[in-house]
Amino acid sequence: MNIYGYMDRIKLLEIKKLFKELDYVQSDFEYRSEIISEADTNFLNGVNSFLDGHPELKELYESKVNERVNQFIHTESYEPITEQPQDDFEEEEIFIVDKSPKVKKLYREIVKITHPDKSDNKSHNDIYVKATQYYDMNDKIGIYKICYQIGLESRIDYEDKVEIQNEVNNLKNKILFITNTLSYKWYISNDINIKNKLLLSFIESRIGVVWTNII
């Protein structure tokens, strides 16, 4: 293998590693997003149950909440909603997504392999449908994934790799944000003392007072 073949091999290995990481963080993000959607509801139920067990704290909490609501009502200006006359025919606003040259080029490469007129392979046809969806949305990352899936890694250049890495980093930041929320920490904890401390921390942040001698 000459030096150029060796470098190409290294490039493909790097791309393969990057896509494995992307698949992992996407899966992890989807998993944690499902958890947080359930955790938020359960956490608020936990807050209410905690307040029910501490009437004095509940009274202060509710007074602070009502105070903020009243402040909001009195500081907002309200205008009556009047029905606006409408034309008999309203022109629907159409948004056209401008495809990047790179997406167009890669999509053409994908179509050559996966289009039903080019392949009788059912999995290829399914990939074609998915690639078309990504193309319509101008989703570069999705198009890159399809290229990797059907063996077109060599079409991905340095700038593409940077975009994929940025997407990986973006998802990691979103995961970090989720795992640092009180509701997530509360939901995954099995220690009742830790759960109560998290509930109290949330309540204290709402009332602006450190409440002692509860936990």
Side-chain angles (χ1 to χ4, degrees), residues 70-98:
N70 289 331
Q71 287 177 348
F72 175 79
I73 291 175
H74 290 95
T75 55
E76 290 292 313
S77 59
Y78 292 91
E79 296 182 359
I81 300 176
T82 57
E83 185 175 352
Q84 299 295 326
Q86 296 182 351
D87 297 331
D88 292 337
F89 298 97
E90 291 185 351
E91 183 177 352
E92 184 179 355
E93 189 172 7
I94 300 175
F95 296 92
I96 300 176
V97 179
D98 186 26

Side-chain angles (χ1 to χ4, degrees), residues 107-129 131-132 146 150:
Y107 180 68
R108 284 195 293 267
E109 293 285 338
I110 293 169
V111 170
K112 291 177 183 178
I113 297 174
T114 64
H115 192 279
D117 291 342
K118 302 292 183 179
S119 174
D120 295 329
N121 190 316
K122 176 65 166 57
S123 63
H124 277 179
N125 300 159
D126 292 340
I127 290 172
Y128 167 75
V129 172
T132 301
I146 296 293
I150 62 177

Side-chain angles (χ1 to χ4, degrees), residues 155-188:
R155 307 299 196 273
I156 299 173
D157 55 29
Y158 177 78
E159 287 75 16
D160 302 331
K161 288 171 61 179
V162 170
E163 289 196 51
I164 298 168
Q165 186 63 64
N166 287 340
E167 177 66 9
V168 169
N169 294 338
N170 181 48
L171 288 170
K172 286 182 177 180
N173 288 333
K174 289 181 178 180
I175 292 169
L176 182 62
F177 175 82
I178 290 174
T179 56
N180 281 332
T181 60
L182 289 176
S183 55
Y184 183 89
K185 292 177 180 179
W186 177 87
Y187 188 79
I188 65 173

Side-chain angles (χ1 to χ4, degrees), residues 187-203:
Y187 188 79
I188 65 173
S189 176
N190 294 318
D191 188 318
I192 189 62
N193 291 324
I194 292 177
K195 293 174 85 73
N196 285 337
K197 286 180 180 178
L198 292 170
L199 293 172
L200 182 58
S201 177
F202 172 82
I203 294 168

Side-chain angles (χ1 to χ4, degrees), residues 5-121:
Y6 175 77
M7 295 303 294
D8 288 342
R9 175 64 176 165
I10 294 297
K11 173 189 172 183
L12 293 178
L13 288 175
E14 289 176 349
I15 292 173
K16 183 177 181 179
K17 177 179 179 294
L18 187 56
F19 273 109
K20 284 184 178 295
E21 186 177 14
L22 177 61
D23 284 340
Y24 173 78
V25 294
Q26 283 182 329
S27 177
D28 193 31
F29 174 69
E30 292 170 2
Y31 164 71
R32 295 182 193 276
S33 294
E34 289 184 13
I35 289 179
I36 196 64
S37 63
E38 184 174 342
D40 285 343
T41 300
N42 290 343
F43 181 78
L44 291 178
N45 290 336
V47 169
N48 292 330
S49 296
F50 187 88
L51 290 171
D52 287 339
H54 302 87
E56 187 177 355
L57 179 59
K58 181 177 182 179
E59 182 179 355
L60 177 59
Y61 179 84
E62 290 180 344
S63 69
K64 290 291 184 181
V65 170
N66 290 332
E67 181 181 323
R68 285 199 296 272
V69 170
N70 289 331
Q71 287 177 348
F72 175 79
I73 291 175
H74 290 95
T75 55
E76 290 292 313
S77 59
Y78 292 91
E79 296 182 359
I81 300 176
T82 57
E83 185 175 352
Q84 299 295 326
Q86 296 182 351
D87 297 331
D88 292 337
F89 298 97
E90 291 185 351
E91 183 177 352
E92 184 179 355
E93 189 172 7
I94 300 175
F95 296 92
I96 300 176
V97 179
D98 186 26
K99 309 296 188 302
S100 72
K102 184 66 177 183
V103 168
K104 290 180 180 179
K105 179 180 178 181
L106 293 178
Y107 180 68
R108 284 195 293 267
E109 293 285 338
I110 293 169
V111 170
K112 291 177 183 178
I113 297 174
T114 64
H115 192 279
D117 291 342
K118 302 292 183 179
S119 174
D120 295 329
N121 190 316

